[in-house]
Amino acid sequence: MTDDTPFDDLDVPEDPLEDLDRATQQLTARTEERRYGKKMVIIEGFEGDTDLDSLASELKSALGTGGTVKEDTIELQGDHEKRVRELLKEHGYAVKG
């Protein structure tokens, strides 16, 4: 008899509740105008121990822009609100608006 289980080929995450935690968070993404007319996308509403640095890094890479993490928000340079909403939904987050 082999040691293989019928579930070996399934792609089950280590913590299956992590996806549920993400989906139950209600994030907001809005665009603010800063000094000299520069636009910033502000993402708020993160709960728990979400790795904001990692998520911000992924978003910045996907958008080809700069940004930062301040307290419980992610700030991204530029007017990318629509694309940010799409990327967050791809990552399993629910975005208001």
Side-chain angles (χ1 to χ4, degrees):
M1 188 166 243
T2 64
D3 292 333
D4 293 335
T5 65
F7 303 110
D8 282 344
D9 294 334
L10 295 178
D11 185 25
V12 178
E14 288 182 30
D15 183 10
L17 296 178
E18 183 179 348
D19 290 339
L20 181 61
D21 290 342
R22 253 187 260 159
T24 58
Q25 294 182 34
Q26 287 295 313
L27 302 183
T28 58
R30 60 186 167 83
T31 303
E32 270 186 13
E33 193 166 314
R34 298 282 173 97
R35 256 193 252 171
Y36 310 111
K38 302 289 182 178
K39 299 200 181 211
M40 296 281 291
V41 177
I42 312 297
I43 307 165
E44 301 172 306
F46 294 100
E47 300 170 1
D49 56 348
T50 304
D51 187 2
L52 295 182
D53 291 321
S54 174
L55 179 60
S57 179
E58 288 180 39
L59 292 172
K60 291 188 297 184
S61 293
L63 297 168
T65 190
T68 188
V69 174
K70 290 186 179 178
E71 297 176 13
D72 292 333
T73 64
I74 296 176
E75 298 182 0
L76 301 170
Q77 297 172 351
D79 188 12
H80 303 285
E81 184 176 340
K82 182 178 178 182
R83 182 72 177 124
V84 165
R85 290 175 183 275
E86 293 170 1
L87 290 169
L88 288 171
K89 287 178 184 175
E90 287 175 14
H91 279 84
Y93 290 99
V95 184
K96 289 182 187 176

